[in-house]
Amino acid sequence: MELLEAIRRRRTTNGPFLPDPVSAEHQRLLVEVAGRAPSQLNSQPWRFVLVEARETIDAIARISGESMTEAMGSGTFFERYKRWFRFSAEEMERERSGMLFDRMPAPLRPFTSQVFTRRGQRVINALRVPQTLGEENRKLVAGSPLLMGVMLDRSEYRPGELSSFYSLFSMGAAMENVWLTTTELGLGIQFVSFPMEVAGAWERITALLGVPEDLELMAVYRIGYVPPEQRRPAIDWSSSQRKLVSQYVFRERCDTPQTGWDAAVEGAGRES
């Protein structure tokens, strides 16, 4: 696969993985490409922990599922991120960003326009949607043959200092290398984010992974081989829409949008 094709095909895997273990060769390739990312002064502030132990994955899956149930049930998740949720193709086409919830259980569909209201939250809770989502999340994480924890060296990652920005920038470059390589290898990847949304949950995962004091756990990803046909969960979304080039690129000055490239970039995206 060529690099441009991998970039255009890159996706987040919302569904389950195959049960097959991720081969040692593919694991080695993932950490190799991560280590080849650029970093300020060649500081290479990233560290990674690869987890295949079933008991550890199951424990992290329980924390993730519980966190999703709590965040969804309390309404904090919807309140925090509602500006990025879309409930119609027309809205998605207009905004060209965010997540389109195009798969919802039938009992919920009449309430999508009210999902961010108190009434909508009461309906969601009465239908036990947070519990359903939390259990789906637990199963997805538990069904992952490999977890990757990403850490930064605290001697470089010092929030409030310039070195912190450099470290985060470098970590992002490393993980983009990993993400594109999963596309090349037939693997899927997804950020296990909900434990970050609930007080105390991230600390529990940090303890499970034995992260030492001189490192900061920044992210956990689930990784596995993607089945030929992806089974979509009961509540799911798509996020393939991208802004037009003229909406995020300027020419010479930031008050002059780039023109003439929108159609070419849109066409390349559809072909991939």
Side-chain angles (χ1 to χ4, degrees):
M1 185 185 300
E2 294 184 356
L3 175 61
L4 285 177
E5 183 184 359
I7 292 172
R8 289 167 178 156
R9 286 180 53 189
R10 184 211 61 78
R11 297 289 185 272
T12 294
T13 304
N14 295 337
F17 298 131
L18 293 172
D20 312 50
V22 177
S23 72
E25 174 65 10
H26 285 175
Q27 292 185 41
R28 186 194 63 76
L29 282 171
L30 293 180
V31 296
E32 177 192 345
V33 298
R36 292 186 182 277
S39 60
Q40 176 73 359
L41 302 175
N42 197 27
S43 56
Q44 304 173 66
W46 47 70
R47 304 290 184 274
F48 301 93
V49 55
L50 301 176
V51 182
E52 294 181 285
R54 179 47 43 197
E55 60 272 21
T56 305
I57 292 176
D58 286 344
I60 291 175
R62 284 193 297 273
I63 295 169
S64 184
E66 292 166 0
S67 299
M68 188 172 199
T69 296
E70 182 174 340
M72 291 294 189
S74 66
T76 57
F77 184 79
F78 289 129
E79 184 61 34
R80 189 172 294 157
Y81 301 113
K82 62 184 179 183
R83 65 187 293 246
W84 301 113
F85 291 177
R86 320 287 182 226
F87 293 99
S88 72
E90 293 76 18
E91 184 183 14
M92 193 69 175
E93 179 62 25
R94 183 175 66 253
E95 300 294 338
R96 303 190 69 87
S97 63
M99 299 161 59
L100 172 62
F101 283 78
D102 58 347
R103 182 173 170 84
M104 300 279 280
L108 271 183
R109 290 172 196 157
F111 301 98
T112 53
S113 63
Q114 305 173 44
V115 72
F116 302 127
T117 67
R118 290 184 179 179
R119 180 181 178 223
Q121 187 68 53
R122 285 196 297 270
V123 171
I124 285 172
N125 289 352
L127 293 173
R128 295 184 60 78
V129 171
Q131 287 79 3
T132 299
L133 288 172
E135 180 58 15
E136 287 271 359
N137 181 270
R138 184 197 66 77
K139 289 178 181 177
L140 283 177
V141 179
S144 305
L146 179 68
L147 297 183
M148 172 184 279
V150 186
M151 298 158 288
L152 285 177
D153 183 342
R154 287 183 188 271
S155 67
E156 290 297 315
Y157 177 64
R158 301 188 296 272
E161 298 185 22
L162 191 55
S163 64
S164 180
F165 166 77
Y166 293 146
S167 295
L168 289 171
F169 190 88
S170 299
M171 185 186 77
M175 285 312 302
E176 182 69 359
N177 282 2
V178 170
W179 215 298
L180 294 177
T181 303
T182 63
T183 305
E184 166 79 19
L185 299 177
L187 292 161
I189 184 170
Q190 186 181 37
F191 183 22
V192 182
S193 60
F194 270 93
M196 293 181 130
E197 303 286 342
V198 174
W202 199 245
E203 289 74 14
R204 291 165 63 193
I205 292 180
T206 297
L208 278 168
L209 297 180
V211 179
E213 287 295 322
D214 61 334
L215 298 180
E216 175 88 13
L217 181 65
M218 304 300 295
V220 174
Y221 294 87
R222 64 184 196 96
I223 300 173
Y225 295 106
V226 179
E229 294 185 6
Q230 281 277 286
R231 177 183 63 80
R232 301 189 73 188
I235 299 176
D236 196 21
W237 54 85
S238 62
S239 57
S240 58
Q241 187 68 277
R242 291 295 184 271
K243 289 185 178 295
L244 300 172
V245 171
S246 58
Q247 294 176 302
Y248 66 90
V249 178
F250 306 95
R251 176 66 64 177
E252 307 300 346
R253 287 172 48 89
C254 292
D255 55 3
T256 310
Q258 171 68 48
T259 59
W261 290 357
D262 288 352
V265 173
E266 284 284 285
R270 283 192 294 270
E271 292 167 7
S272 62

